[in-house]
Amino acid sequence: MSIRPLVILPDPLLRVVSDVVSHADGATKALIEDMFETMYDAPGVGLAAVQVGVTQRIVTMDASRKDDEKEPLALINPEIIWSSDALSEYEEGCLSIPDYHEVVIRPAKVGVRYLDLDGKSFEREMEGLAATVVQHEIDHLNGKLFIDHLSRLKRERVIKKFQKLARREGSE
Ligand code: GNR
Ligand code: NI
């Protein structure tokens, strides 16, 4: 198991639509283990495979409360099958956009269908932080970031800041 380096804005990988996993194998299992290790180390409550440079439709998450037992959940080919009309506001952050947080409005509850490593299909209802995180992660699989839910002004400001940071680090 190992911690993998995170892909950071403005890396164009973050805009790629990830591929459906047609057959999970040993490499998929190893990737998911590394994603959990990378996510817990960060620390983060969710991670999409593209954030460690693998453009496959795989998500890890753990929306358990701080002092409660861990609830690791790995989702392969996750899909939102329904969303509530009720909305909820959450201050979001993203490991690929370090140190930037902003409130995003999304459906409060969602139904999610996904596969596990054995190819078995599951459906579950999510609410609260889990609903927000799973929508944030599925956005990643579609090349979408939480800043895309903000005003153009805010989004462009953030992108500019990270472009500048990358230029500085690239020329050091
Ligand atoms: O760690 C994370 N926290 C978080 C908080 C509110 C809404 C979404 C998230 S996901 C984020 C980790 C991440 O970037 N996943 O893609
Ligand atoms: Ni993210």
Side-chain angles (χ1 to χ4, degrees):
M1 292 240 298
S2 53
I3 294 167
R4 302 198 189 188
L6 288 164
V7 170
I8 303 294
L9 192 73
D11 194 314
L13 262 182
L14 293 170
R15 294 312 191 175
V16 171
V17 177
S18 290
D19 297 320
V20 168
V21 177
S22 58
H23 170 79
D25 55 18
T28 315
K29 186 162 187 266
L31 169 64
I32 287 173
E33 284 173 5
D34 285 358
M35 285 174 64
F36 276 122
E37 195 177 347
T38 305
M39 182 183 88
Y40 285 124
D41 175 73
V45 293
L47 192 71
V50 63
Q51 293 181 277
V52 292
V54 179
T55 55
Q56 293 183 15
R57 304 186 79 82
I58 300 173
V59 163
T60 56
M61 57 185 281
D62 187 338
S64 62
R65 279 171 211 269
K66 207 165 182 262
D67 295 319
D68 288 359
E69 230 176 290
K70 282 192 190 174
E71 276 178 49
L73 184 62
L75 307 102
I76 298 175
N77 301 336
E79 292 173 80
I80 306 282
I81 51 177
W82 57 264
S83 323
S84 64
D85 291 333
L87 303 175
S88 107
E89 288 187 4
Y90 233 102
E91 179 159 283
E92 299 200 15
C94 182
L95 296 173
S96 297
I97 313 175
D99 304 316
Y100 180 74
H101 299 88
E102 193 54 82
V103 172
V104 177
I105 302 171
R106 303 180 187 267
K109 288 190 185 184
V110 291
V112 183
R113 180 187 297 140
Y114 60 94
L115 303 178
D116 71 0
L117 267 170
D118 299 321
K120 195 170 161 222
S121 180
F122 292 85
E123 280 181 24
R124 69 155 84 188
E125 187 176 315
M126 297 192 192
E127 60 185 324
L129 178 62
T132 291
V133 172
V134 81
Q135 292 174 81
H136 174 119
E137 303 313 335
I138 291 173
D139 273 355
H140 273 301
L141 304 183
N142 294 324
K144 193 164 175 176
L145 300 169
F146 85 91
I147 54 172
D148 299 338
H149 293 274
L150 308 178
S151 69
R152 192 167 83 169
L153 180 67
K154 282 185 181 168
R155 177 170 56 256
E156 287 180 352
R157 220 187 263 151
V158 177
I159 292 171
K160 280 228 169 73
K161 183 187 144 191
F162 279 84
Q163 282 172 338
K164 210 168 180 178
L165 274 170
R167 271 201 297 276
R168 249 191 269 159
E169 280 165 23
S171 63
E172 256 171 19

